[in-house]
Amino acid sequence: DTTFLKNFSLLNITSLLNRVMNFVFVIFLVRTISQQDFGVYTLIWAHMGILQSWQDLGTTSFGILQSEEKNKRALLNNVFMLRTLFAIFVSIGTIILAFLFRYPPTVIGAIAALTIIYFSNAITGFFMIISSLAKELITSSVVGFSINLLRTIGGIFVLYYSHSVYTFLYFAAFVYGVHGLTA
């Protein structure tokens, strides 16, 4: 089936390009900010990942496998609501953990701003479910790649001019918010 090959190929190509962009960005980041700021950057992203596995809990796979369901619209509405609830719980839990770990207020602020990622992932993951059911993963791939390109190029400019990891993290939160709204 050519549709499958096209979707599969584009998903893998954009995934590879995203990884290359992220690698280039990290090299730029290491050369632009201090070791202390790089440590803060790494700490914040590691902290964001603590509860991230609880965000999906199989809803993506479940949603994609429901292509033959008779009441697909109601089922997809439930999947969307479940993904949103998971995003809320993970966001609140992530912020609570930041307070429990007694991070400085600047780190807690960045973590709180970045919790928008969980909502963005809930929405864009749902968009991927819909795209998969329609056999149109190309749209999801191109949108995801475009947002990552914007975050990478914009992040390079932000870091180049500000030399502030916090400015970049707030910029990243903004981009992820836009991604969630545009999916």
Side-chain angles (χ1 to χ4, degrees):
D1 185 16
T2 59
T3 303
F4 171 77
L5 280 175
K6 198 166 48 172
N7 282 323
F8 181 77
S9 298
L10 193 59
L11 271 173
N12 284 303
I13 290 168
T14 56
S15 177
L16 175 66
L17 291 173
N18 282 332
R19 292 181 195 284
V20 169
M21 275 192 300
N22 290 337
F23 177 73
V24 169
F25 179 75
V26 168
I27 289 173
F28 179 81
L29 186 68
V30 166
R31 295 175 182 263
T32 306
I33 62 174
S34 69
Q35 288 180 349
Q36 181 179 350
D37 281 350
F38 188 75
V40 168
Y41 173 85
T42 305
L43 170 74
I44 288 172
W45 285 114
H47 184 86
M48 296 300 295
I50 293 172
L51 299 176
Q52 190 172 14
S53 63
W54 289 87
Q55 182 182 354
D56 184 80
L57 290 181
T59 57
T60 301
S61 300
F62 177 78
I64 290 171
L65 294 174
Q66 301 308 309
S67 60
E68 303 301 320
E69 185 69 31
K70 288 185 173 130
N71 197 358
K72 192 173 4 179
R73 186 179 187 107
L75 182 99
L76 289 174
N77 284 339
N78 290 338
V79 167
F80 180 76
M81 291 305 298
L82 191 57
R83 291 178 67 85
T84 303
L85 282 173
F86 288 157
I88 290 168
F89 291 135
V90 170
S91 294
I92 292 169
T94 298
I95 293 168
I96 289 171
L97 283 176
F99 280 105
L100 290 175
F101 293 160
R102 298 179 187 206
Y103 294 143
T106 52
V107 171
I108 293 172
I111 287 170
L114 285 169
T115 59
I116 193 76
I117 290 170
Y118 302 129
F119 295 98
S120 178
N121 287 346
I123 294 166
T124 58
F126 185 73
F127 177 59
M128 189 183 80
I129 293 169
I130 300 294
S131 298
S132 177
L133 292 174
K135 295 183 179 17
E136 288 293 326
L137 285 171
I138 291 171
T139 307
S140 179
S141 298
V142 169
V143 169
F145 174 76
S146 300
I147 290 297
N148 197 34
L149 184 64
L150 172 67
R151 185 188 56 82
T152 302
I153 293 172
I156 287 171
F157 280 113
V158 165
L159 283 168
Y160 182 77
Y161 288 109
S162 73
H163 294 283
S164 168
V165 70
Y166 291 105
T167 303
F168 165 73
L169 291 169
Y170 284 109
F171 170 77
F174 172 76
V175 171
Y176 282 110
V178 168
H179 187 199
L181 292 174
T182 59

